[in-house]
């Protein structure tokens, strides 16, 4: 039989298909043109989404990956096309999102000559990827792609970069599909320590005031059912990180709300009152811990994680339970005694009532005529029967939507957690509509963040992506303004925003849109948005100097939250 000889570009296409890739987000250019030419013949099997900026491609791939559980794929050119992806790559790395970014590169003969649109992408991205590799020969394509996907999705997920030299794209090679499920010295999932399982279970069985902190690792490990069984068997109250909010339904009686700087009062206060703190798939981010010197010093700490590097990185752990939490949670649960911590669980209620009276009630049921951010969020959530995917940008819109949206399904929050990338929301929401076309996707944005990637309206228009876009317009860079009000004597240095007419802009992109100024208009506008096929922009003009509360001040302890500004 004659061997099939194909180009490196065609080998890439076949390798992606072999990995099950059906959706790619990208933008063509000179150094990746042979690949896009090969892609032309694969359009019936692979859907390429033409974004309007390479950063948009990475965020769209993130949104796709986060809701689908698959690897997000980007295809861009060299030079500025490649460097435009760096923010999204860094975002994916800190938030553990599996991406494979394939970038064109000048031919190997031109490397190091400062050729047109040459940049050392491998050198730039090594600190912010799980693996970054330059493909210099066509014969290495299948191997490199197999390795890239294995690394991106195994263990703690993350981004991988393939820098694809142009000569390797046009050279020919014999194509043989490559599979990979082992790399020497790479241990994606540590072996489970049975002794650690036993000691953790014993600590939990003896606990009088246990508290579980749930992070995104539960969602990444598809361990939502195991988590629920775990907490229900031992009657363990739960606080969730920003990225872990949908791992347990909002309505679950043991779910006590969000942790962190703008989280709920009860789980933050109780962090410094519990006797056993059980962290599952979270990394003790500074926005969760506040002042480390005073964080949970009274508690024994059990840390479930797949990544050994997270153990003792920020918070000293008494028991480390390494491994896939889908397995480790189940193993510990089998050793747990059915328990009842009613008095401890009930003790959260006084703080819940205090927060409701001082913060939630004024936000959801304001005395003023002006719309509040929280009431808009809650109205949208309830109109979707609390079943939509929430995507957010970054800032006050992010914290308000995370707090006041409700979650009833898994993988229902997509937001930039660790990096806090403004401009994330719109392209991530586009990607989410391709990752889960069966679900309603609602993205909340501020007027600042929207303008950072507003060009992706073009992608929405071309794809008719059914993104329900809610713009919380307060004519400020709201989060920075809040800090200026609280800590800089209301010196609003360059935070007021002169904004364009967003309705006219949406109209130019053939996107239905409506502006809401009053509470009386809100519910009908939301109904219209959700009933409209395809995309829709709802601009809610909200109170200009609204604040996200409660708040742990920078450098403060988690149990010292401010209830008012």
């Amino acid at each position: 039989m004659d061997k099939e000889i194909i180009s490196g570009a065609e080998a890439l296409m076949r390798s992606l298909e072999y990995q099950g890739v059906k959706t790619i987000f990208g933008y063509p250019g000179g150094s990746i043109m042979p690949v896009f030419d090969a892609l032309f013949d694969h359009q019936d099997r692979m859907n390429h989404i033409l974004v309007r900026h390479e950063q948009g491609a990475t965020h769209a791939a993130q949104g796709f990956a986060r809701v689908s559980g698959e690897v997000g794929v980007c295809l861009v050119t060299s030079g500025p096309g490649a460097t435009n992806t760096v923010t999204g790559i860094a975002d994916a790395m800190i938030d553990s999102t599996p991406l494979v970014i394939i970038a064109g590169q000048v031919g190997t003969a031109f490397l190091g000559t400062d050729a047109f649109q040459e940049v050392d992408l491998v050198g730039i991205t090594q600190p912010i990827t799980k693996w970054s590799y330059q493909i210099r020969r066509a014969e290495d394509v299948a191997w490199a792609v197999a390795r890239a996907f294995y690394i991106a999705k195994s263990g703690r997920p993350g981004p991988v970069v393939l820098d694809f030299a142009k000569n390797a794209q046009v050279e020919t090679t014999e194509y043989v599909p490559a599979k990979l499920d082992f790399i020497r010295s790479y241990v994606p999932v540590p072996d489970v320590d049975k002794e650690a399982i036993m000691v953790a279970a014993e600590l939990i069985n003896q606990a009088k005031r246990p508290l579980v902190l749930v992070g995104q690792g539960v969602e990444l490990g598809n361990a939502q059912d195991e988590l629920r069984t775990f907490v229900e068997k031992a009657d363990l109250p739960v606080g969730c990180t920003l990225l872990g909010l949908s791992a347990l339904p909002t309505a679950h009686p043991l779910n006590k709300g969000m942790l962190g700087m703008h989280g709920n009062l009860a789980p933050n206060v109780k962090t410094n009152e519990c006797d056993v703190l059980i962290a599952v798939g979270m990394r003790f981010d500074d926005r969760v811990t506040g002042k480390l010197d005073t964080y949970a010093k009274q508690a024994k700490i059990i840390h479930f994680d797949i990544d050994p590097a997270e153990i003792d990185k920020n918070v000293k752990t008494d028991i480390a339970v390494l491994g896939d939490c889908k397995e480790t949670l189940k193993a510990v649960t089998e050793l747990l005694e059915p328990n009842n911590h009613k008095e401890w669980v009930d003790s959260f209620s006084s703080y819940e009532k205090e927060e409701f009276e001082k913060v939630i009630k004024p936000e959801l049921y304001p005395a003023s005529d002006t719309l509040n951010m929280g009431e808009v969020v809650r109205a949208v959530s309830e109109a979707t029967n609390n079943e939509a995917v929430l995507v957010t940008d970054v800032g006050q819109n992010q914290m308000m939507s995370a707090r006041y949206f409700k979650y009833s399904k898994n993988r229902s929050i997509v937001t930039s957690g660790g990096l806090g990338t403004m401009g994330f929301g719109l392209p991530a929401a586009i990607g989410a509509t391709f990752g889960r076309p069966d679900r309603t996707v609602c993205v909340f944005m501020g007027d600042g963040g929207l303008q950072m990637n507003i060009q992706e309206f073009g992608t929405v228009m071309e794809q008719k992506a059914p993104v329900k876009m809610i713009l919380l317009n307060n004519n400020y860079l709201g989060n920075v303004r809040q800090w200026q009000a609280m800590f800089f004597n209301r010196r609003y240095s360059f935070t007021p925003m002169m904004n364009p007419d967003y309705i006219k802009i949406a109209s130019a992109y053939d996107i239905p849109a409506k502006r809401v100024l009053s509470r009386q208009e809100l519910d009908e506008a939301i109904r219209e948005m959700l009933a409209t096929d395809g995309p829709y922009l709802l601009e809610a003009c909200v109170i200009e100097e609204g604040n996200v509360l409660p708040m742990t001040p920078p450098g403060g302890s988690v149990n010292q939250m401010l209830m008012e500004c």
Side-chain angles (χ1 to χ4, degrees), residues 344-357:
W344 166 243
V345 174
D346 287 348
S347 71
F348 284 70
S349 63
S350 62
Y351 295 103
E352 292 169 345
K353 290 174 182 175
E354 180 184 357
E355 183 180 353
F356 180 81
E357 290 298 326

Side-chain angles (χ1 to χ4, degrees), residues 301-496:
I301 296 178
I302 303 170
H303 193 173
F304 289 75
D305 212 287
I306 201 168
D307 186 356
E310 291 299 337
I311 304 300
D312 296 333
K313 185 179 78 173
N314 295 326
V315 173
K316 177 65 178 174
T317 299
D318 292 283
I319 299 296
V321 184
L322 288 170
D324 185 335
C325 63
K326 193 173 182 69
E327 298 178 14
T328 55
L329 279 174
K330 182 179 180 181
V332 170
T333 302
E334 289 174 353
L335 300 179
L336 293 183
E337 300 166 359
N339 215 327
N340 186 316
H341 295 289
K342 185 178 187 306
E343 184 177 349
W344 166 243
V345 174
D346 287 348
S347 71
F348 284 70
S349 63
S350 62
Y351 295 103
E352 292 169 345
K353 290 174 182 175
E354 180 184 357
E355 183 180 353
F356 180 81
E357 290 298 326
K358 292 182 178 179
V359 176
I360 297 174
K361 185 177 178 180
E363 184 66 32
L364 296 183
Y365 312 104
S368 68
D369 293 332
T370 310
L371 285 168
N372 281 347
M373 288 181 276
E375 68 173 312
V376 176
V377 173
R378 180 58 60 84
V380 172
S381 179
E382 291 179 347
T384 65
N385 198 31
N386 303 319
E387 293 181 347
V389 172
L390 168 68
V391 184
T392 86
D393 208 86
V394 166
Q396 287 186 318
N397 66 89
Q398 177 186 36
M399 293 295 99
M400 284 293 195
S401 54
R403 282 179 54 83
Y404 292 103
F405 213 78
K406 292 184 178 181
Y407 313 92
S408 61
K409 295 184 176 182
N410 299 332
R411 292 185 179 268
S412 289
I413 181 167
V414 179
T415 190
S416 174
L419 199 63
T421 304
M422 289 180 68
F424 173 90
L426 177 57
I430 295 169
T433 64
F434 286 96
R436 287 300 302 269
D438 58 318
R439 297 188 64 185
T440 299
V441 175
C442 297
V443 56
F444 289 84
M445 303 172 285
D447 41 307
L450 170 57
Q451 292 187 80
M452 285 198 171
N453 270 317
I454 198 169
Q455 76 284 338
E456 297 308 325
F457 274 171
T459 309
V460 173
M461 174 182 65
E462 182 171 348
Q463 300 296 330
K464 296 181 174 57
V467 185
K468 308 307 180 185
M469 299 168 277
I470 302 94
L471 170 61
L472 301 175
N473 188 354
N474 58 9
N475 296 305
Y476 273 102
L477 297 175
N479 212 41
V480 182
R481 183 214 53 77
Q482 178 172 335
W483 283 47
Q484 289 172 335
M486 297 177 72
F487 310 118
F488 292 89
N489 299 315
R490 296 187 179 275
R491 289 160 57 87
Y492 294 163
S493 180
F494 298 98
T495 48

Side-chain angles (χ1 to χ4, degrees), residues 209-239:
R209 302 183 307 279
L211 178 61
V212 181
L213 310 185
V214 171
Q216 188 192 198
V218 172
E219 298 263 54
L220 295 174
N222 296 312
Q224 300 91 345
D225 291 342
E226 288 76 11
L227 171 72
R228 191 164 183 160
T229 302
F230 171 69
V231 301
E232 289 177 351
K233 183 175 183 179
D235 197 30
L236 308 172
V238 172

Side-chain angles (χ1 to χ4, degrees), residues 177-188:
K179 273 192 174 180
L180 190 68
D181 57 11
F182 172 78
I183 298 173
R184 190 176 63 181
S185 78
Y186 172 58
V187 183

